[in-house]
């Protein structure tokens, strides 16, 4: 006999939207363990000098917390434009509370009842949740058996489904693989007939093996293209919740129609400004993280596993092993990685050298015992 959760009964008694009934919220396990490598955070601490700069900027902002912040976050958009380059101006930039809110705002503006969003699974698990929250139909597009996505396949699926929005995750989460420009261009052209907004989610762009490969270079002449980024990963600011996009100025104008008033707090703006003005210090750890990522790939291959070549700060791997058993064994040793729900596969964040060593030694022990 299955016991019913009393909270579930209480939830079902509420006048919840029917399309939300039975849905599960997003959530990675949050466990207190010595080595946490399951949520793709930057495990390197924010450098002391950057911490101090953030404190100083936030202290200045605190003097005027009785007033609303700059709702256009003008200084922040200027700094973001300077960071990205590519001929972008502040009118091309928009920011919000993490890239998830950026994606939510885009779906609020371009999705909704009677509209759809297409993405290619397996991919970031928040996409269907954001679609459900905005009452936008989610269409699960298909990848090849090796999780790759070709220009021809992607374009054919766009032409078939005629979605209002297409989301391309590059580097893709959970596989870590990046898309070539020809995939983005093929999707954009295929979406011409349906007037589809094409979003390239580049949350992990700074970790790419070739950082020059970015959809930002495709923005000129493509008014329906949006490139989203975050300061949670390379900038080590997951706790600050700052995301942004670059696009044609009219895309930002569309978002102004749905954004909440003063949605980006003065404290968030001050934190982001301090970080961007000290970006050389913050981004100094990126090369070390890439080194540990490549080390994970090489060592897992040596152990007979099958890791994907990664352009992100994590490694997706499969092979002839019992994935649930390995996950549990690592947890028993105080190491938490991610079971992404794909049979025979796991995902691990590239941490510090010490964290990476602990993970690799534990995997080897499990496989050889």
């Amino acid at each position: 006999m299955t016991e019913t959760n009393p909270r579930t009964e209480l939830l079902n008694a509420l006048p919840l939207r029917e399309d939300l009934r039975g849905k599960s919220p997003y959530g990675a396990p949050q466990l207190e363990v010595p080595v946490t490598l399951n949520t793709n955070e930057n495990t390197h601490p924010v450098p002391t000098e950057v911490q101090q700069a953030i404190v100083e900027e936030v202290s200045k902002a605190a003097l005027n917390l009785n007033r609303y912040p700059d709702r256009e976050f003008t200084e922040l958009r200027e700094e973001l434009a300077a960071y990205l380059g590519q001929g972008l101006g502040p009118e091309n930039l928009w920011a919000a509370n993490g890239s998830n809110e950026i994606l939510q705002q885009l779906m609020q503006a371009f999705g909704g009842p009677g509209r759809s969003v297409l993405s290619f699974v397996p991919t970031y698990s928040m996409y269907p949740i954001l679609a459900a929250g905005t009452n936008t139909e989610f269409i699960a597009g298909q990848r090849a058996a090796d999780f790759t996505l070709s220009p021809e396949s992607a374009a054919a699926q766009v032409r078939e489904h005629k979605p209002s929005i297409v989301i391309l995750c590059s580097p893709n989460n959970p596989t870590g693989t990046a898309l070539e420009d020809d995939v983005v261009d093929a999707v954009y052209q295929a979406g011409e007939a349906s007037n589809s907004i094409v979003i390239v989610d580049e949350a992990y762009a700074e970790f790419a093996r070739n950082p020059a490969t970015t959809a930002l270079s495709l923005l000129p002449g493509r008014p329906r293209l949006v490139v989203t980024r975050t300061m949670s990963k390379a900038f080590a600011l997951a706790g600050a919740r700052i995301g942004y996009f670059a696009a044609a100025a009219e895309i930002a104008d569309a978002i102004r129609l749905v954004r909440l008033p003063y949605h980006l707090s003065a404290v968030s703006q001050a934190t982001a400004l301090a970080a961007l003005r000290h970006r050389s210090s913050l981004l100094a750890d990126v090369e070390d993280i890439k080194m540990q990522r490549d080390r994970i790939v090489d060592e897992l291959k040596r152990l007979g596993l099958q890791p994907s070549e990664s352009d992100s700060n994590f490694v997706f791997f499969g092979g002839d092993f019992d994935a649930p058993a390995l996950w549990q064994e690592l947890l028993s040793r105080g190491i938490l990685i991610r079971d992404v729900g794909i049979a025979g596969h796991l995902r691990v964040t590239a941490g510090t050298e010490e964290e990476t060593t602990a993970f690799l030694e534990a995997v080897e022990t499990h496989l050889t015992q």
Side-chain angles (χ1 to χ4, degrees), residues 15 52 101 136 142 152 160 164 177 232 234 260 287 303 318 321 349 353:
Q52 293 172 346
E101 186 179 45
T136 307
Q142 303 302 307
E152 296 78 15
E160 175 188 355
S164 310
T177 47
S232 293
L260 293 174
E287 289 306 314
L303 294 171
F321 71 104
T349 305
E353 182 178 1

Side-chain angles (χ1 to χ4, degrees), residues 45 74 131 138 272 349:
T74 307
F138 181 78
T349 305

Side-chain angles (χ1 to χ4, degrees), residues 233-253:
K233 310 302 181 182
F235 279 84
L237 291 180
R241 312 309 302 127
I242 301 160
Y244 58 98
F245 73 60
E250 55 267 33
I251 296 286
D253 288 339

Side-chain angles (χ1 to χ4, degrees), residues 141-152:
Q142 303 302 307
R143 293 174 178 267
D146 62 355
F147 306 119
T148 57
L149 183 64
S150 70
E152 296 78 15

Side-chain angles (χ1 to χ4, degrees), residues 26-29 37-40 120-126 128-129 143 147 169 172-176 204 306 308 312-319 321-328 330 336-349:
Y26 176 85
L37 301 174
N38 70 321
T39 54
N40 302 339
F120 302 90
V121 299
T123 192
Y124 183 33
S125 59
M126 271 301 297
I129 294 174
R143 293 174 178 267
F147 306 119
C169 192
N172 185 47
N173 180 7
T175 61
Y204 302 94
Q306 297 169 5
S308 296
S312 58
N313 71 334
F314 57 85
V315 177
F316 177 74
F317 63 97
F321 71 104
D322 186 334
L326 175 57
W327 185 91
Q328 191 61 55
L330 291 170
L336 180 61
I337 66 171
R338 187 71 176 268
D339 181 347
V340 293
I342 300 173
H345 291 79
L346 296 170
R347 190 194 70 195
V348 58
T349 305

